[in-house]
Structures are given as structure tokens and as C-alpha cells.
Amino acid sequence: MSGNDAFLWYNVGDWGRFGLAIPNFSNDTKSQNDTIRYLTDVVGRNLQAILWHPDARLRTPPSINTLTRIHKLCTRARSILASRAVPANILNMETAHALPAPEEFLVYPTPYFKVRNQWLKQYAGLMLIGLTEAMQHQENARPLEISEAFAGLIGQYVQRVYRLMATELFRIPLADATKPDFTISEEQLAGYNPSAWFTSTELLDTVAPLDDWPTEDDLEVLTNGIPISHLPVLGRWPSGPSGTVGSGTSVPVGESFAPAPTA
């Protein structure tokens, strides 16, 4: 089916039941641009870690631990984009003879489709869109530089996550949160108090299943990152093609296809 670049469902072995998503890289599996690969790696790894946290399994407002991690991820991504973007009227650095070899993107399957926490699911959706945009962007064919246009395109998703978190969870005025250089202060982080403005219904939830969650060691096959060439054919949630190895693909069998632990 055509019409959009929906996130891909990592439906590989028993991992499919966790509702994991990866960015839709389309046919853009590699990049010659080291900065874009670096950015997608930093964002992908951190996003995955945030969404495996127990907060993602609860409907209640996220803990300050998770929000601090999101704060650091957003400011980290902003720093990478701001420090490396080259204005359109500035000469790009170019090589005379050497040309960097294109390298594969790594993807980090991230809990998304079955996440119960709607704040974290919305933030993850925006970040996954940003990763999709970055992987498919034409500047992957530009070896050494990224443009301000690229930084603006990807940075808007990071900024939206940061603004939503600041205004909805920390009650920071919109006029402040929309400033391009706005950063949540230590005092504002320390003042987090969801019970002061959320309803009693939003502060209560049922206990999530306790015996159906992988350990750190179980997750190692995902947290190391998976080269795109090691993926089977993936589809869309919830009815995409099965990612079973050997179903007409030439993908090598490796640790990326290790089944998830059974309860």
C-alpha cells in the first residue's frame, strides 16, 4: 500500500508481540554523511532506552527520571544540529581526492505501537518521524556537511517534543517554551509536581503485567543496534508481513533474530 511512510513494525520472532517500531528508511539504507548517521544513532539509542523504561507501561504522568532523560536527549540533538549546520551562503568543506564510503544506518527497535503512556507515545512518534526524515534526506549523499535547512527540518520535531513536555508536564508558559533557545532549568525540573494539575483519574492506573518484560541482557540484541541489511522484510502495524527469517528473503541469520524471552 502506498501513500505514507508509516513506521515499520519490527515483527521478528517473538519480538513482534512487544509492538516495536523502527523508522521507515524506504530504500535509503546507507548514508555518506557521518553527521546524519551520528545523529540518527544518538537519537535512536536514547529513544529506545526511554521507551523500555517502566514509565512507558503506565498511563500515569512519567517520572522525573524519564523526563530528565527526554530533556537531555532534546538538548543533545539540538546541540548536534546547531553546531554542525552550515548556512547556505557559507562554502562547504570539500575533499580533493578522498570520498568517504557510505555506511549503513543502525536502527534501534523501540516500543511504540503498544505503549500505554500517551505522553511518551506522542513524543516517540515525533522522534520517529524525525528519524525517518533524516534517513531519507538527500543530504545523505553529501559527505561532510549538513545544511541549516536539514537542521531546521529535523530540529522541528525535537523542538515540538521539548515544547510539549515543557508546557504540559512542567506548566512552563508557552511564550517561554516556544523560544528557539529555551532550555528547562534545574529549578523547573526540581519543581515537577503532576499531582498539582492532573486529575485523579490521570494519576491512577492498573498494574501492568509483571512477567512479560525483557531484562537488560535479553535486550542486548536490540540495544546494540541492527544494520538495515540484517532486517527481513518488515511491514506496518498491525498486519504487516511476518519478519520470519527464511520467508523468501536473503537476510543472514544472526543474533538480530534471536527470539524474545518467553514468559
Side-chain angles (χ1 to χ4, degrees):
M1 180 183 296
S2 61
N4 60 65
D5 286 308
F7 311 140
L8 299 175
W9 176 25
Y10 187 74
N11 183 22
V12 176
D14 205 31
W15 288 112
R17 63 194 172 97
F18 290 100
L20 307 182
I22 64 171
N24 193 324
F25 49 85
S26 185
N27 61 348
D28 302 297
T29 62
K30 298 180 180 181
S31 176
Q32 208 161 25
N33 191 298
D34 181 65
T35 291
I36 298 178
R37 290 198 312 272
Y38 176 55
L39 177 69
T40 56
D41 197 69
V42 169
V43 174
R45 280 191 73 197
N46 281 279
L47 182 65
Q48 182 192 65
I50 289 168
L51 269 292
W52 277 117
H53 190 275
D55 280 354
R57 303 166 65 192
L58 299 172
R59 296 187 183 95
T60 51
S63 69
I64 189 61
N65 302 59
T66 292
L67 298 183
T68 299
R69 292 184 182 105
I70 297 172
H71 157 70
K72 290 182 176 180
L73 172 56
C74 289
T75 53
R76 184 81 181 88
R78 291 194 320 189
S79 173
I80 293 171
L81 290 168
S83 63
R84 302 191 181 205
V86 178
N89 63 337
I90 300 297
L91 293 174
N92 284 215
M93 181 168 62
E94 294 181 344
T95 62
H97 302 285
L99 190 64
E103 295 183 29
E104 278 192 275
F105 287 111
L106 295 180
V107 294
Y108 296 86
T110 299
Y112 173 75
F113 296 113
K114 296 178 71 172
V115 164
R116 298 173 75 206
N117 191 290
Q118 290 305 303
W119 289 282
L120 297 185
K121 184 168 185 175
Q122 185 175 15
Y123 302 162
L126 288 164
M127 287 296 199
L128 286 167
I129 293 174
L131 289 171
T132 295
E133 295 269 21
M135 289 179 173
Q136 295 191 29
H137 201 276
Q138 67 269 15
E139 290 191 10
N140 283 293
R142 178 178 291 174
L144 300 177
E145 309 280 30
I146 61 169
S147 67
E148 285 189 334
F150 172 87
L153 174 67
I154 308 306
Q156 68 179 335
Y157 301 104
V158 178
Q159 287 291 84
R160 179 60 60 88
V161 170
Y162 204 54
R163 191 188 82 189
L164 289 174
M165 183 177 73
T167 55
E168 296 179 359
L169 295 175
F170 289 93
R171 307 295 287 177
I172 293 169
L174 181 61
D176 294 333
T178 52
K179 294 176 181 177
D181 59 347
F182 168 74
T183 301
I184 299 174
S185 67
E186 291 296 327
E187 292 76 18
Q188 289 168 327
L189 287 171
Y192 180 55
N193 183 18
S195 62
W197 51 79
F198 286 104
T199 68
S200 58
T201 301
E202 292 172 300
L203 296 172
L204 293 174
D205 195 9
T206 56
V207 178
L210 302 177
D211 56 355
D212 188 28
W213 205 248
T215 66
E216 179 182 2
D217 291 338
D218 297 328
L219 291 172
E220 189 173 358
V221 295
L222 305 183
T223 55
N224 286 336
I226 301 171
I228 289 177
S229 66
H230 287 194
L231 297 171
V233 175
L234 301 176
R236 300 175 184 173
W237 174 270
S239 56
S242 172
T244 303
V245 180
S247 57
T249 69
S250 58
V251 180
V253 178
E255 65 174 9
S256 300
F257 304 102
T262 56

